[in-house]
Amino acid sequence: MANTLELGNGKWATGKDTVLAYNDLNNNFKPLPFDFSRASSATVVNKAGLIETVGSGEPRIDFLGNTKGALLLEPSRTNRIQNSEDGSTWGLSNITLSSLSGGLNKEYYQITSLGNTGRFDVVKNDWINLTAGTYTASVFAKKGTCDEIILTSRATYTFQDKYSVFNLTNGTVLNSQVNGSIEPYSDGWYKCSITFTNSGSYTDFASFAFGFNFNSSSTDTLFVASPQSEIGSYATSYIPTSGSAVTRVADVCDNGGNEQVINSTEGVLYAEISALANDGTNRMISLSDGVSTTSNATLYFTTTTNQIRFVYEISSVLQCSIISTIDVLQDNKFAIVYKLNRFELWGNGVKLGEDTSGSVNPSGTFTKLSFLRGASQLPFYGKTKDLRLYNTALTDSELQQLTTI
């Protein structure tokens, strides 16, 4: 069961504008670079569990929640909060804010109560009137003597609608009028976020505000860092700002492999991947000539919630279309098999579907492996721990072994 291309699986080599895969068939190591681009800096969780910034064109290997690391590919997003790094600009009510160094993102803030409730907003009194659409607001928080934080989208701070309450002791969402989410990071930190839809009928929406229910009048504390407000249905990696909104450009990873390691007439594409969200988009990994979208073998998350699909096309004619339902937000091990009259989709040790009739492309048709379809369509946004190619169609026993979690 020798593979001809491998990317990841704990062995990462990245450089400016490149991610390095390899072919170690017969113990003869040969590098196989992917092209990578992102025309901006971006942040990622490093091996120490801390958030660090990498430069323009540098791929991100994310170690959040795992020791092997995963290639992180995200869409373009803008942090609309103009001073996410400067707490002195935030509007305070019934609290004091103290700057501290170290921690998750090098600088964070201790909040100390001056009464039983308190709040701060990150745009002070300069309200941002939102157009109709879906927005996500997030912040990193850690418990002190207080372990609850409220996120709300309303500038009136009434907390009567569009809010979520988060418990920073056990990492749960206690009460939510909107889509609230909490994710554990290192050293007791959590990323708390809310996603809400503005119909366009409100003009008093701020980026968002934080509220606190303190246990006593003057001694309760908790810690916050790195607030973010972005247009979209889920929170993405932190985008630091200092004086103006900042945009992180989308990641693109393509043009991996070559005709020597990709077999157009039979083979297996294996991917250990997870989606960033069920966001109603197609997110594709494909074998093609790197340009055409009409002849390809493609594994992808579809626009349907928790759906994975395998298609094999010859000049826009489908040879197979296999669809299955699975939790795409979890780490899954998938494999697609293509061979004359044999097309299969495997996931987590189980054959999810098959098609026993269909043709394959002529030899030499597939020359590139990309995290999109063709040259630019439907890019894959998600996390990839491991990606492999096999130039023969593996047996069912081998595929079960390969994809078992």
Side-chain angles (χ1 to χ4, degrees):
M1 195 168 63
N3 56 299
T4 58
L5 178 150
E6 182 161 347
L7 174 71
N9 196 26
K11 301 173 184 177
W12 297 102
T14 63
K16 178 72 171 176
D17 303 323
T18 188
V19 185
L20 192 65
Y22 58 90
N23 176 7
D24 60 356
L25 197 62
N26 300 322
N27 295 315
N28 184 17
F29 182 91
K30 295 180 180 179
L32 296 168
F34 281 73
D35 292 338
F36 178 85
S37 66
R38 187 192 58 252
S40 72
S41 61
T43 64
V44 68
V45 177
N46 62 24
K47 288 184 177 181
L50 305 177
I51 296 173
E52 68 174 2
T53 299
V54 300
S56 174
E58 295 184 30
R60 291 178 290 168
I61 307 304
D62 182 73
F63 290 90
L64 178 62
N66 76 88
T67 57
K68 283 189 172 182
L71 177 65
L72 174 62
L73 301 174
E74 293 185 301
S76 178
R77 289 288 181 89
T78 299
N79 188 355
R80 300 165 60 253
I81 294 169
Q82 298 183 8
N83 286 287
S84 68
E85 299 279 277
D86 185 3
S88 68
T89 67
W90 304 345
L92 309 180
S93 176
N94 225 25
I95 60 173
T96 61
L97 205 64
S98 303
S99 176
L100 301 171
S101 60
L104 184 71
N105 194 23
K106 297 182 181 178
E107 186 171 9
Y108 64 105
Y109 294 91
Q110 176 179 295
I111 291 174
T112 303
S113 64
L114 299 176
N116 290 327
T117 61
R119 65 179 182 266
F120 74 87
D121 68 83
V122 293
V123 291
K124 215 165 185 178
N125 295 318
D126 181 20
W127 305 129
I128 299 175
N129 296 330
L130 304 187
T131 58
T134 300
Y135 297 81
T136 296
S138 59
V139 70
F140 291 93
K142 181 179 179 179
K143 73 173 183 177
T145 56
C146 174
D147 66 356
E148 290 184 13
I149 184 172
I150 304 168
L151 271 65
T152 179
S153 62
R154 289 298 301 273
T156 55
Y157 305 114
T158 60
F159 305 125
Q160 293 176 354
D161 63 352
K162 299 186 181 301
Y163 74 92
S164 293
V165 182
F166 303 91
N167 185 290
L168 303 176
T169 294
N170 55 26
T172 58
V173 182
L174 298 178
N175 188 7
S176 186
Q177 303 299 316
V178 287
N179 184 16
S181 177
I182 186 167
E183 184 177 19
Y185 277 64
S186 62
D187 193 30
W189 285 94
Y190 290 92
K191 186 174 186 177
C192 306
S193 64
I194 56 171
T195 297
F196 58 94
T197 299
N198 178 25
S199 65
S201 59
Y202 291 99
T203 58
D204 64 340
F205 276 76
S207 286
F208 67 110
F210 305 89
F212 313 96
N213 292 321
F214 293 113
N215 298 317
S216 61
S217 61
S218 61
T219 60
D220 274 349
T221 61
L222 55 75
F223 306 95
V224 297
S226 309
Q228 183 155 306
S229 177
E230 54 194 305
I231 298 174
S233 62
Y234 59 96
T236 63
S237 60
Y238 174 55
I239 306 168
T241 67
S242 182
S244 64
V246 173
T247 297
R248 180 197 61 246
V249 178
D251 301 289
V252 178
C253 188
D254 59 3
N255 293 326
N258 54 48
E259 58 272 18
Q260 279 76 48
V261 298
I262 302 174
N263 186 345
S264 300
T265 59
E266 71 169 286
V268 170
L269 170 61
Y270 165 82
E272 185 175 355
I273 53 178
S274 60
L276 300 177
N278 280 300
D279 64 350
T281 66
N282 290 312
R283 292 138 291 170
M284 297 190 168
I285 302 174
S286 71
L287 294 168
S288 71
D289 65 2
V291 178
S292 171
T293 60
T294 62
S295 296
N296 57 79
T298 303
L299 174 70
Y300 66 105
F301 299 131
T302 77
T303 58
T304 301
T305 295
N306 287 329
Q307 189 177 90
I308 186 75
R309 186 184 186 193
F310 164 38
V311 298
Y312 191 98
E313 287 183 285
I314 300 176
S315 299
S316 297
V317 179
L318 278 177
Q319 303 304 307
C320 83
S321 175
I322 304 171
I323 297 173
S324 187
T325 299
I326 199 165
D327 186 351
V328 302
L329 303 183
Q330 299 301 311
D331 186 44
N332 295 289
K333 294 182 177 182
F334 297 111
I336 58 174
V337 186
Y338 57 93
K339 188 178 181 179
L340 180 65
N341 297 327
R342 184 191 174 198
F343 301 91
E344 298 171 4
L345 171 63
W346 287 74
N348 301 337
V350 177
K351 186 188 293 185
L352 302 176
E354 64 179 340
D355 190 329
T356 59
S357 176
S359 300
V360 290
N361 280 288
S363 179
T365 301
F366 296 155
T367 59
K368 298 295 180 183
L369 172 59
S370 298
F371 287 88
L372 41 76
R373 184 174 70 172
S376 61
Q377 288 189 351
L378 306 173
F380 177 85
Y381 295 129
K383 293 184 178 182
T384 302
K385 285 186 177 180
D386 193 2
L387 189 72
R388 305 181 199 176
L389 282 178
Y390 296 81
N391 61 4
T392 59
L394 304 180
T395 66
D396 281 8
S397 177
E398 289 173 323
L399 288 161
Q400 182 180 41
Q401 178 185 348
L402 179 65
T403 61
T404 295
I405 294 290

mmCIF file of all heavy atoms in Angstrom, residues 143-176:
data_model
loop_
_atom_site.group_PDB
_atom_site.id
_atom_site.type_symbol
_atom_site.label_atom_id
_atom_site.label_comp_id
_atom_site.label_asym_id
_atom_site.label_seq_id
_atom_site.Cartn_x
_atom_site.Cartn_y
_atom_site.Cartn_z
ATOM 1 N N LYS A 143 -11.504 32.761 32.656
ATOM 2 C CA LYS A 143 -12.137 33.086 33.934
ATOM 3 C C LYS A 143 -11.127 33.624 34.933
ATOM 4 O O LYS A 143 -9.944 33.272 34.911
ATOM 5 C CB LYS A 143 -12.840 31.871 34.515
ATOM 6 C CG LYS A 143 -11.900 30.811 35.078
ATOM 7 C CD LYS A 143 -12.685 29.724 35.789
ATOM 8 C CE LYS A 143 -11.758 28.690 36.431
ATOM 9 N NZ LYS A 143 -12.487 27.663 37.178
ATOM 10 N N GLY A 144 -11.593 34.513 35.780
ATOM 11 C CA GLY A 144 -10.866 34.924 36.974
ATOM 12 C C GLY A 144 -11.684 34.430 38.146
ATOM 13 O O GLY A 144 -11.941 33.230 38.280
ATOM 14 N N THR A 145 -12.140 35.368 38.989
ATOM 15 C CA THR A 145 -13.106 34.979 40.023
ATOM 16 C C THR A 145 -14.517 34.954 39.453
ATOM 17 O O THR A 145 -15.419 34.384 40.054
ATOM 18 C CB THR A 145 -13.045 35.963 41.205
ATOM 19 O OG1 THR A 145 -13.260 37.297 40.721
ATOM 20 C CG2 THR A 145 -11.697 35.903 41.909
ATOM 21 N N CYS A 146 -14.697 35.564 38.301
ATOM 22 C CA CYS A 146 -15.952 35.494 37.562
ATOM 23 C C CYS A 146 -15.757 34.532 36.390
ATOM 24 O O CYS A 146 -14.695 34.521 35.765
ATOM 25 C CB CYS A 146 -16.351 36.886 37.059
ATOM 26 S SG CYS A 146 -17.785 36.913 35.980
ATOM 27 N N ASP A 147 -16.760 33.733 36.089
ATOM 28 C CA ASP A 147 -16.588 32.742 35.022
ATOM 29 C C ASP A 147 -17.688 32.814 33.969
ATOM 30 O O ASP A 147 -17.889 31.851 33.217
ATOM 31 C CB ASP A 147 -16.498 31.328 35.597
ATOM 32 C CG ASP A 147 -17.786 30.868 36.257
ATOM 33 O OD1 ASP A 147 -18.741 31.673 36.350
ATOM 34 O OD2 ASP A 147 -17.847 29.689 36.670
ATOM 35 N N GLU A 148 -18.387 33.943 33.863
ATOM 36 C CA GLU A 148 -19.403 34.083 32.835
ATOM 37 C C GLU A 148 -19.188 35.369 32.038
ATOM 38 O O GLU A 148 -18.837 36.405 32.590
ATOM 39 C CB GLU A 148 -20.815 34.095 33.424
ATOM 40 C CG GLU A 148 -21.253 32.763 33.975
ATOM 41 C CD GLU A 148 -22.695 32.782 34.455
ATOM 42 O OE1 GLU A 148 -23.420 33.752 34.137
ATOM 43 O OE2 GLU A 148 -23.100 31.828 35.147
ATOM 44 N N ILE A 149 -19.394 35.259 30.726
ATOM 45 C CA ILE A 149 -19.299 36.412 29.852
ATOM 46 C C ILE A 149 -20.493 36.389 28.903
ATOM 47 O O ILE A 149 -20.939 35.313 28.487
ATOM 48 C CB ILE A 149 -17.965 36.419 29.073
ATOM 49 C CG1 ILE A 149 -17.830 37.693 28.222
ATOM 50 C CG2 ILE A 149 -17.800 35.183 28.224
ATOM 51 C CD1 ILE A 149 -16.449 37.842 27.593
ATOM 52 N N ILE A 150 -21.015 37.555 28.571
ATOM 53 C CA ILE A 150 -22.154 37.697 27.663
ATOM 54 C C ILE A 150 -21.685 38.432 26.416
ATOM 55 O O ILE A 150 -21.008 39.453 26.513
ATOM 56 C CB ILE A 150 -23.301 38.496 28.323
ATOM 57 C CG1 ILE A 150 -23.740 37.854 29.642
ATOM 58 C CG2 ILE A 150 -24.485 38.622 27.374
ATOM 59 C CD1 ILE A 150 -24.652 38.740 30.478
ATOM 60 N N LEU A 151 -22.041 37.922 25.258
ATOM 61 C CA LEU A 151 -21.808 38.633 24.004
ATOM 62 C C LEU A 151 -23.152 39.010 23.410
ATOM 63 O O LEU A 151 -24.065 38.176 23.361
ATOM 64 C CB LEU A 151 -21.052 37.761 22.992
ATOM 65 C CG LEU A 151 -19.519 37.809 23.032
ATOM 66 C CD1 LEU A 151 -18.988 37.259 24.335
ATOM 67 C CD2 LEU A 151 -18.943 37.033 21.850
ATOM 68 N N THR A 152 -23.264 40.265 22.983
ATOM 69 C CA THR A 152 -24.505 40.739 22.390
ATOM 70 C C THR A 152 -24.215 41.620 21.187
ATOM 71 O O THR A 152 -23.152 42.240 21.104
ATOM 72 C CB THR A 152 -25.344 41.540 23.411
ATOM 73 O OG1 THR A 152 -26.542 41.998 22.775
ATOM 74 C CG2 THR A 152 -24.577 42.724 23.951
ATOM 75 N N SER A 153 -25.157 41.664 20.257
ATOM 76 C CA SER A 153 -24.987 42.480 19.060
ATOM 77 C C SER A 153 -25.659 43.841 19.173
ATOM 78 O O SER A 153 -25.498 44.679 18.294
ATOM 79 C CB SER A 153 -25.577 41.748 17.850
ATOM 80 O OG SER A 153 -26.963 41.542 18.046
ATOM 81 N N ARG A 154 -26.407 44.059 20.255
ATOM 82 C CA ARG A 154 -27.160 45.292 20.360
ATOM 83 C C ARG A 154 -26.356 46.406 21.022
ATOM 84 O O ARG A 154 -25.692 46.219 22.027
ATOM 85 C CB ARG A 154 -28.442 45.089 21.188
ATOM 86 C CG ARG A 154 -29.492 44.259 20.478
ATOM 87 C CD ARG A 154 -29.987 44.909 19.194
ATOM 88 N NE ARG A 154 -30.553 46.214 19.422
ATOM 89 C CZ ARG A 154 -31.821 46.428 19.753
ATOM 90 N NH1 ARG A 154 -32.642 45.407 19.910
ATOM 91 N NH2 ARG A 154 -32.262 47.646 19.930
ATOM 92 N N ALA A 155 -26.438 47.590 20.459
ATOM 93 C CA ALA A 155 -25.732 48.732 21.020
ATOM 94 C C ALA A 155 -26.419 49.284 22.260
ATOM 95 O O ALA A 155 -25.848 50.078 22.993
ATOM 96 C CB ALA A 155 -25.631 49.843 19.981
ATOM 97 N N THR A 156 -27.667 48.853 22.501
ATOM 98 C CA THR A 156 -28.415 49.376 23.655
ATOM 99 C C THR A 156 -28.067 48.658 24.949
ATOM 100 O O THR A 156 -28.448 49.112 26.027
ATOM 101 C CB THR A 156 -29.916 49.228 23.403
ATOM 102 O OG1 THR A 156 -30.203 47.851 23.105
ATOM 103 C CG2 THR A 156 -30.351 50.094 22.222
ATOM 104 N N TYR A 157 -27.338 47.532 24.839
ATOM 105 C CA TYR A 157 -26.913 46.754 26.020
ATOM 106 C C TYR A 157 -28.068 46.249 26.874
ATOM 107 O O TYR A 157 -27.924 46.046 28.068
ATOM 108 C CB TYR A 157 -25.996 47.585 26.927
ATOM 109 C CG TYR A 157 -24.799 48.159 26.255
ATOM 110 C CD1 TYR A 157 -24.671 49.542 26.114
ATOM 111 C CD2 TYR A 157 -23.797 47.363 25.752
ATOM 112 C CE1 TYR A 157 -23.565 50.092 25.507
ATOM 113 C CE2 TYR A 157 -22.695 47.909 25.135
ATOM 114 C CZ TYR A 157 -22.591 49.273 25.019
ATOM 115 O OH TYR A 157 -21.498 49.806 24.406
ATOM 116 N N THR A 158 -29.252 46.073 26.301
ATOM 117 C CA THR A 158 -30.361 45.588 27.114
ATOM 118 C C THR A 158 -30.259 44.086 27.367
ATOM 119 O O THR A 158 -30.874 43.580 28.303
ATOM 120 C CB THR A 158 -31.700 45.860 26.418
ATOM 121 O OG1 THR A 158 -31.713 45.187 25.160
ATOM 122 C CG2 THR A 158 -31.911 47.353 26.212
ATOM 123 N N PHE A 159 -29.502 43.370 26.519
ATOM 124 C CA PHE A 159 -29.350 41.922 26.612
ATOM 125 C C PHE A 159 -30.693 41.199 26.546
ATOM 126 O O PHE A 159 -30.848 40.117 27.065
ATOM 127 C CB PHE A 159 -28.604 41.514 27.896
ATOM 128 C CG PHE A 159 -27.282 42.183 28.048
ATOM 129 C CD1 PHE A 159 -26.976 42.914 29.183
ATOM 130 C CD2 PHE A 159 -26.332 42.095 27.042
ATOM 131 C CE1 PHE A 159 -25.746 43.539 29.305
ATOM 132 C CE2 PHE A 159 -25.106 42.723 27.168
ATOM 133 C CZ PHE A 159 -24.818 43.447 28.304
ATOM 134 N N GLN A 160 -31.683 41.840 25.952
ATOM 135 C CA GLN A 160 -32.992 41.221 25.855
ATOM 136 C C GLN A 160 -33.134 40.348 24.612
ATOM 137 O O GLN A 160 -34.061 39.558 24.509
ATOM 138 C CB GLN A 160 -34.080 42.297 25.875
ATOM 139 C CG GLN A 160 -34.164 43.020 27.221
ATOM 140 C CD GLN A 160 -35.171 44.148 27.199
ATOM 141 O OE1 GLN A 160 -35.726 44.461 26.159
ATOM 142 N NE2 GLN A 160 -35.396 44.751 28.351
ATOM 143 N N ASP A 161 -32.276 40.538 23.653
ATOM 144 C CA ASP A 161 -32.276 39.661 22.484
ATOM 145 C C ASP A 161 -30.886 39.662 21.867
ATOM 146 O O ASP A 161 -30.040 40.473 22.218
ATOM 147 C CB ASP A 161 -33.323 40.088 21.458
ATOM 148 C CG ASP A 161 -33.068 41.469 20.877
ATOM 149 O OD1 ASP A 161 -32.159 42.189 21.361
ATOM 150 O OD2 ASP A 161 -33.771 41.842 19.942
ATOM 151 N N LYS A 162 -30.648 38.700 20.969
ATOM 152 C CA LYS A 162 -29.404 38.595 20.230
ATOM 153 C C LYS A 162 -28.176 38.566 21.157
ATOM 154 O O LYS A 162 -27.274 39.385 21.046
ATOM 155 C CB LYS A 162 -29.302 39.719 19.191
ATOM 156 C CG LYS A 162 -30.412 39.672 18.153
ATOM 157 C CD LYS A 162 -30.207 40.685 17.061
ATOM 158 C CE LYS A 162 -31.343 40.653 16.037
ATOM 159 N NZ LYS A 162 -31.504 39.343 15.390
ATOM 160 N N TYR A 163 -28.159 37.618 22.054
ATOM 161 C CA TYR A 163 -27.019 37.479 22.958
ATOM 162 C C TYR A 163 -26.800 36.007 23.297
ATOM 163 O O TYR A 163 -27.650 35.158 23.087
ATOM 164 C CB TYR A 163 -27.242 38.269 24.247
ATOM 165 C CG TYR A 163 -28.239 37.641 25.196
ATOM 166 C CD1 TYR A 163 -27.815 36.760 26.190
ATOM 167 C CD2 TYR A 163 -29.598 37.936 25.097
ATOM 168 C CE1 TYR A 163 -28.723 36.175 27.057
ATOM 169 C CE2 TYR A 163 -30.511 37.362 25.955
ATOM 170 C CZ TYR A 163 -30.079 36.482 26.925
ATOM 171 O OH TYR A 163 -30.993 35.893 27.781
ATOM 172 N N SER A 164 -25.593 35.712 23.817
ATOM 173 C CA SER A 164 -25.275 34.396 24.348
ATOM 174 C C SER A 164 -24.481 34.565 25.630
ATOM 175 O O SER A 164 -23.690 35.505 25.774
ATOM 176 C CB SER A 164 -24.451 33.571 23.346
ATOM 177 O OG SER A 164 -25.209 33.244 22.209
ATOM 178 N N VAL A 165 -24.681 33.642 26.573
ATOM 179 C CA VAL A 165 -23.939 33.611 27.837
ATOM 180 C C VAL A 165 -23.017 32.389 27.805
ATOM 181 O O VAL A 165 -23.446 31.282 27.473
ATOM 182 C CB VAL A 165 -24.884 33.519 29.045
ATOM 183 C CG1 VAL A 165 -24.078 33.531 30.351
ATOM 184 C CG2 VAL A 165 -25.892 34.656 29.032
ATOM 185 N N PHE A 166 -21.755 32.600 28.174
ATOM 186 C CA PHE A 166 -20.751 31.537 28.109
ATOM 187 C C PHE A 166 -20.173 31.272 29.493
ATOM 188 O O PHE A 166 -19.853 32.209 30.228
ATOM 189 C CB PHE A 166 -19.626 31.933 27.159
ATOM 190 C CG PHE A 166 -20.090 32.256 25.768
ATOM 191 C CD1 PHE A 166 -20.434 33.556 25.423
ATOM 192 C CD2 PHE A 166 -20.197 31.265 24.814
ATOM 193 C CE1 PHE A 166 -20.862 33.862 24.148
ATOM 194 C CE2 PHE A 166 -20.625 31.555 23.536
ATOM 195 C CZ PHE A 166 -20.972 32.866 23.199
ATOM 196 N N ASN A 167 -20.014 29.990 29.834
ATOM 197 C CA ASN A 167 -19.383 29.588 31.078
ATOM 198 C C ASN A 167 -17.922 29.274 30.816
ATOM 199 O O ASN A 167 -17.589 28.386 30.012
ATOM 200 C CB ASN A 167 -20.085 28.368 31.669
ATOM 201 C CG ASN A 167 -19.541 27.989 33.028
ATOM 202 O OD1 ASN A 167 -18.422 27.513 33.134
ATOM 203 N ND2 ASN A 167 -20.329 28.211 34.069
ATOM 204 N N LEU A 168 -17.025 29.989 31.487
ATOM 205 C CA LEU A 168 -15.593 29.859 31.255
ATOM 206 C C LEU A 168 -14.926 28.837 32.175
ATOM 207 O O LEU A 168 -13.714 28.672 32.141
ATOM 208 C CB LEU A 168 -14.915 31.217 31.421
ATOM 209 C CG LEU A 168 -15.456 32.331 30.514
ATOM 210 C CD1 LEU A 168 -14.779 33.658 30.823
ATOM 211 C CD2 LEU A 168 -15.292 31.964 29.046
ATOM 212 N N THR A 169 -15.731 28.150 32.980
ATOM 213 C CA THR A 169 -15.208 27.061 33.798
ATOM 214 C C THR A 169 -15.283 25.737 33.041
ATOM 215 O O THR A 169 -14.310 24.976 32.990
ATOM 216 C CB THR A 169 -15.986 26.934 35.119
ATOM 217 O OG1 THR A 169 -15.753 28.103 35.908
ATOM 218 C CG2 THR A 169 -15.530 25.714 35.912
ATOM 219 N N ASN A 170 -16.442 25.470 32.440
ATOM 220 C CA ASN A 170 -16.615 24.179 31.769
ATOM 221 C C ASN A 170 -16.770 24.300 30.259
ATOM 222 O O ASN A 170 -16.996 23.302 29.572
ATOM 223 C CB ASN A 170 -17.816 23.427 32.359
ATOM 224 C CG ASN A 170 -19.095 24.251 32.313
ATOM 225 O OD1 ASN A 170 -19.248 25.135 31.469
ATOM 226 N ND2 ASN A 170 -20.020 23.961 33.229
ATOM 227 N N GLY A 171 -16.673 25.522 29.708
ATOM 228 C CA GLY A 171 -16.702 25.701 28.266
ATOM 229 C C GLY A 171 -18.046 25.389 27.637
ATOM 230 O O GLY A 171 -18.109 24.687 26.613
ATOM 231 N N THR A 172 -19.124 25.885 28.232
ATOM 232 C CA THR A 172 -20.460 25.639 27.710
ATOM 233 C C THR A 172 -21.175 26.951 27.408
ATOM 234 O O THR A 172 -20.841 28.008 27.958
ATOM 235 C CB THR A 172 -21.314 24.830 28.700
ATOM 236 O OG1 THR A 172 -21.387 25.536 29.949
ATOM 237 C CG2 THR A 172 -20.708 23.455 28.922
ATOM 238 N N VAL A 173 -22.170 26.862 26.536
ATOM 239 C CA VAL A 173 -23.056 27.991 26.261
ATOM 240 C C VAL A 173 -24.269 27.816 27.163
ATOM 241 O O VAL A 173 -25.018 26.848 27.039
ATOM 242 C CB VAL A 173 -23.478 28.034 24.783
ATOM 243 C CG1 VAL A 173 -24.354 29.247 24.509
ATOM 244 C CG2 VAL A 173 -22.257 28.048 23.872
ATOM 245 N N LEU A 174 -24.480 28.771 28.095
ATOM 246 C CA LEU A 174 -25.523 28.617 29.103
ATOM 247 C C LEU A 174 -26.885 29.050 28.592
ATOM 248 O O LEU A 174 -27.904 28.447 28.899
ATOM 249 C CB LEU A 174 -25.161 29.432 30.357
ATOM 250 C CG LEU A 174 -23.881 29.027 31.079
ATOM 251 C CD1 LEU A 174 -23.633 29.947 32.259
ATOM 252 C CD2 LEU A 174 -23.963 27.582 31.556
ATOM 253 N N ASN A 175 -26.909 30.128 27.844
ATOM 254 C CA ASN A 175 -28.175 30.681 27.376
ATOM 255 C C ASN A 175 -27.896 31.438 26.097
ATOM 256 O O ASN A 175 -26.965 32.236 26.040
ATOM 257 C CB ASN A 175 -28.775 31.613 28.433
ATOM 258 C CG ASN A 175 -30.168 32.062 28.078
ATOM 259 O OD1 ASN A 175 -30.753 31.578 27.115
ATOM 260 N ND2 ASN A 175 -30.709 32.989 28.839
ATOM 261 N N SER A 176 -28.688 31.191 25.073
ATOM 262 C CA SER A 176 -28.369 31.811 23.793
ATOM 263 C C SER A 176 -29.623 32.182 23.036
ATOM 264 O O SER A 176 -30.495 31.338 22.816
ATOM 265 C CB SER A 176 -27.517 30.856 22.951
ATOM 266 O OG SER A 176 -27.085 31.482 21.776
#
